[in-house]
Amino acid sequence: MNANVINANARTRRTNLEVLRTLVAISPPPWRRLIGAMLLGLAAAGTTVGLLAGSGALIDRAALRPGLATIAGLLAVVEVLAVLRAPLRYAERLHTHEAAFGALGHWRLWLYDRLEPLLPGALGAWRSGDLLHRAIDDIEALTDLYSRAPGTVGVAVAVSALSVVAVGSLLPLGAAILGAALAVAVVGSPLLAITGRTRVDERALAGQLTAEVVELVQGAPELLAFGLDETFRARAEATAERLARLERRRTRAMAAASALVVVCLGVAVVGTLAAAVSAAREHRLEGIMIAVLPLTAIGAFEAVAPLGTLAIRILDVLDAGRRLLALNEVPAPVSDPSNPVALHDSVPTPPEGVAVAFDDATLRYRLDRPPALDAVSFAVPPGSATAILGQTGAGKSSIVNALLRFWPLEKGSVTVNATSLEQMRQADARRVFALLDQDARLFAGTIRQNVALGRPEATAAEIAEALRAAQLDEWVRSLPNGLETPVGESGNQVSSGQRRRIALARALLVRRPVLLLDEPTTNLDDETADALIDTVLAAALGRTVVLVTHRSEDLRCMDQILTLDRGRVVATSHR
Amino acid sequence: MPGRLDRRLLAEVRGARRGLAIAVATGLGAAVCIVVQAGLLARIVDRALLHHAAVAAVTPELVGLGAAFVVRALLQLVGEIASQKSATTITSELRHELLDEAFRLGPAWLAGERTGELSLTATRGINALNTYFGRYLPQATVALITPVGILAWLAAVDWPSALILLGLLLVIPPVIAAFTKRARQEAARRWRSLASLSARMLELLQGLPTLRAFGRQEHGRREVAEATESLRRGTMRTLRVSFLSALSLDLLAGLGTGLVAMVLGLRLLHGDVSLSLAMAVLLVSPEVFAPLRRASAEYHASAEGKVAAERVLDVLAQSRRQATAPHERPTARWSLPRSGANPTLATPRTTGTAPELSRSTIELVEVGVRFAGGVRALSGVNLVIAPKEHVLVRGRSGTGKSTLLSVLLGFVTITSGRARIGGVDLGTLDAAGWRELRRQMAWVSPRPYVFRGTLEDNLRMGNPELGEAAIERVLQRCGLCRVVSRLPEGLATPVGEGGAALSTGERQLVALARALLTDAPLLLLDEPLAHLDEETAATVDANLASALDGRTVLWAGHHVPTRRHFDQVLDLPTSPAAADPTTHGHRAPPPLSRTGSLRSS
């Protein structure tokens, strides 16, 4: 009952600058690389302007038939610029993207490290599909922060300024017209583009869609059986449709932004041309420069065109960043002590049984609810076997959560060989226990991979031994591919009983002093279950055993039986 | 140059042809505008430079030039909006078909898939196709027409420039061909990395507690690092191909423009060509390459969508195969061998009319199920269930109890024998027939899924119109009252993903209550009491009698309360994989049966 509900969609109001600063602080962009890329981009844009202006001048001058020598220089410039532009642009793009995708890897690990201490329990209101969307798409949206954003803005501004200055040296009026048109485009197109955004958090909606599809896939059997598949599919498709509508809106705004740029370009071309024509007639401008002005405008606008899209992308980066940083705000339920006791001080290696004791332990998931464990005290002597009984919801899983330090105690302590678990690093505390979890969760992979999850270095003989103790050896032998048979995602290609026993073999294989088995005999027939308890206790070999069970037959060989009710130990019996 | 996949995708376009046509038409219109602009610009420069014309003298041309820009802007706007609209129409349709197909293939197929991969395909993969339909397709069409048009015009007015550009243009197809092949391969590889990252990530998100319990969270971290690194490498490879292709097209375009400018300059010197023509040609010549460059860029940008589309179409193709051979649904790992299919199953007729379960006899004759790889899940099962009979399916773990229930649910298709309900062969039911049949069943899965929503939403799943009183009654019956009382908001507590975590026992109680709250005449209970403590199990069991009365019940499990009585017991043999045994349901001896409920047989 980890009902620690935190509103996943509550967006903390961080300003854009704060978000940007935090993102950069967590994974700083490779500034030198970005500056290099920007210079390359500037050079590429410069060649575009130069090529257009240069060839215009070339043709105008040639039209006056001045002789080959006068235009030879221009000819050479035009050719060099024509050939230079492509490799410059190639180098720029490669440079920026190399930097960006390295950063994404860093972000995925950051996300994993954030999530790791929060599961299970602390991410109450979060859906795995939404988290998946954060891990894949939101992180990918950060690409623009590391690649295009800084360079494109820099290049656009620099090229605009330089073009205006260059035109200004020829004809101030032309510069004014070009400058005004560029200014409208530079400011107007991003503003127009971002009108495509609504107050709907598009990324949250996309995360919701992923979550809904994950639910569809994982809940498919029940949905089909209850005839609700169409309802749930319609729900997901409606979400997708809402997203598509938002995307169309975005496209409209971006298309309007690029249309604005084309209109501004038209104004610049017509304006500078008219100014040039009248200036040439009044001999304020050399005739051969008439074409240079509009062509410079065309070149300059090429650098300005991507700004609208870029504005949207930058806001995307901020939205995605917000969704990632939201994970920073979820407190981890348990943290490591500052001066941890080393594991080997309290726990022997190789493992033999250790003493486990609960002393007045109280555990509570939500302050407004009664405690899940209420002043629980009991002791498990080294090498003994203790069974925990209790009705559904009596607090059995909370015992497991307390032992594995998945959830902190409100009061009291849990000790292993008289050392409190709270004094150990969490990883060390967990190394005391070999767990068969209640859900018997398996991972996509083979039987071997799943059994050896906790000890990948285990030998074939050890794995065979664990399988035998889990009463699985016969079944595995009967499979055409034996141990290499895939179990499917979360083990959904094997039966419930087989899944549970694979999880049991996995627990038996790790050499840890306490076997903590949550319902090892569920989903098994009595014959198998009886044999299983015997072989498991034999395999325990002096290790301490804590068994959560429902079957009274499992209690035969137990040294101690505890009964829990509403988080309290209501009965204790010793053999 | 449309490939096989393009043709398959084009076949999906149908409903959106108008949008694409508008996009192509506006694209061509924009190209015409550019040519007009060039001509007018050249004319103005010519008149000003050589004839010292005043602004007033060139005003019509200036106005025309401005108008051309405005028209071009509007055309681009309209084209973009139209193509995007049609693209999202197509992709919505594709998404619908994909989900439809995934559900038609059913749980057995889904079990062999990776959730993270499927959800990636259904969301982002299909979205990426928007670029393909909305941008690449119209741009590619424009790129096929525009250069030819411009070259034709150039050939008429200035053949030397046309010749230069044609020469360079001829180099392009082999260049593009070389790059597109590489791009396809790299994009497919990259998608595989992305899909495996997504699948792995979801599994880690859902399984992190287990990894932490085993101290293996570092292992998960390493997997994320490796997957993301392989994705990075794949992405860089795809980008490099895309950038290289842009580089070569840019080089050709630059070379072309430069050469044309040089030659024009020289010819102007000799007076072979007029200034206005030279200027126009110079301005137009980059436009020969520009559409190709854009199309190539869009090709690379939409490569991800195409790879995803390939995956979607593969899934869709399964139904087409299935339509011709309804009993040979090929599925990922559970696929059924074609050769092993029983000839009696090969009835091509399908029907949408399902039998009435409350009055139909279920008949299983020599039923066998065998999964790909030769794993036999069930064999030689014979069972006849009259309406309202209660049948216990017994057997050790892994003997096929769940598979047998899955056969009746239509999740698994039998590979031998005959399964009929009310005389209707289950193999002949189509999707509508199954829907109708399943409406009459309720199922407690061995691993119940609790949906996101309140507890009440989950209970009402099979019967949304239930009254409070009915729910209250079933809660009592299923021992759910205790659970509800512990939840912070009672029945209104959010459960499922993102809600209060329920233990396996609690989930099972929810599933049981959910099933009993339907009025389904057939109940399929797969180990319904497995995760319950003895006390709760006994309470639930004692209360079940009235709920099960009057319904047909198939109860699978080893954990069967002693007080429960069954009309029939089917003992599944320990190892169906070993021999080829035949199993018959046998009538329970009178002492075991409920008094008065044992019907004559």
Side-chain angles (χ1 to χ4, degrees), chain A residues 43-45 132 136 141 260 267 291 304 338 342 383 437 494 562:
Chain A
L132 176 67
I136 305 289
L260 176 71
V267 169
V304 169
S338 45
D437 52 319
V494 294
L562 301 169

Side-chain angles (χ1 to χ4, degrees), chain A residues 252-527:
Chain A
R252 275 202 298 277
M254 282 202 276
S258 23
L260 176 71
V261 172
V262 173
V263 170
C264 287
L265 171 62
V267 169
V269 167
V270 172
T272 52
L273 193 55
V277 168
S278 80
R281 195 176 156 82
E282 291 156 23
H283 301 288
R284 281 184 289 116
L285 182 73
E286 253 189 287
I288 60 155
M289 287 297 168
I290 294 176
V292 172
L293 265 64
L295 292 184
T296 305
I298 293 177
F301 268 85
E302 209 162 284
V304 169
L307 286 183
T309 317
L310 191 73
I312 288 266
R313 298 287 191 98
I314 289 174
L315 292 177
D316 257 358
V317 166
L318 293 171
D319 279 353
R322 273 199 183 86
R323 273 167 60 75
L324 293 171
L325 296 179
L327 281 165
N328 247 350
E329 284 157 27
V330 186
V334 180
S335 48
D336 283 332
S338 45
N339 284 318
V341 176
L343 178 67
H344 54 261
D345 292 349
S346 49
V347 172
T349 43
E352 46 193 72
V354 296
V356 177
F358 274 65
D359 183 18
D360 201 25
T362 300
L363 182 149
R364 194 194 295 266
Y365 296 111
R366 272 174 62 154
L367 285 175
D368 58 340
R369 301 298 301 165
L373 292 180
D374 190 359
V376 168
S377 297
F378 65 87
V380 182
S384 72
T386 294
I388 299 177
L389 299 179
Q391 289 198 356
T392 298
K396 291 167 297 188
S397 0
S398 299
I399 297 271
V400 174
N401 281 346
L403 286 172
L404 289 176
R405 299 267 290 132
F406 282 156
W407 207 261
L409 293 181
E410 186 178 278
K411 200 161 62 90
S413 68
V414 178
T415 56
V416 170
N417 278 359
T419 306
S420 167
L421 288 175
E422 284 175 23
Q423 292 176 296
M424 300 184 202
R425 287 177 46 231
Q426 293 174 67
D428 284 345
R430 286 182 198 121
R431 215 167 291 157
V432 176
F433 304 98
L435 174 75
L436 162 63
D437 52 319
Q438 178 175 238
D439 286 326
R441 176 167 273 283
L442 302 188
F443 296 89
T446 63
I447 296 176
R448 181 199 302 279
Q449 284 166 344
N450 273 287
V451 171
L453 178 82
R455 247 186 85 208
E457 73 281 5
T459 64
E462 287 168 326
I463 291 177
E465 182 56 42
L467 287 173
R468 201 157 30 245
Q471 302 279 311
L472 270 177
D473 46 342
E474 217 175 285
W475 171 65
V476 170
R477 263 201 306 276
S478 79
L479 294 169
N481 293 322
L483 270 175
E484 305 308 324
T485 306
V487 300
E489 185 170 86
S490 61
N492 56 14
Q493 300 222 359
V494 294
S495 82
S496 306
Q498 285 151 355
R499 189 159 48 85
R500 192 155 290 274
R501 282 179 289 161
I502 291 173
L504 175 62
R506 173 172 78 187
L508 292 174
L509 189 66
V510 290
R511 295 193 186 139
R512 297 188 177 173
V514 180
L515 272 174
L516 183 53
L517 309 178
D518 200 343
E519 302 189 16
T521 53
T522 303
N523 306 108
L524 297 183
D525 54 289
D526 287 338
E527 199 184 326

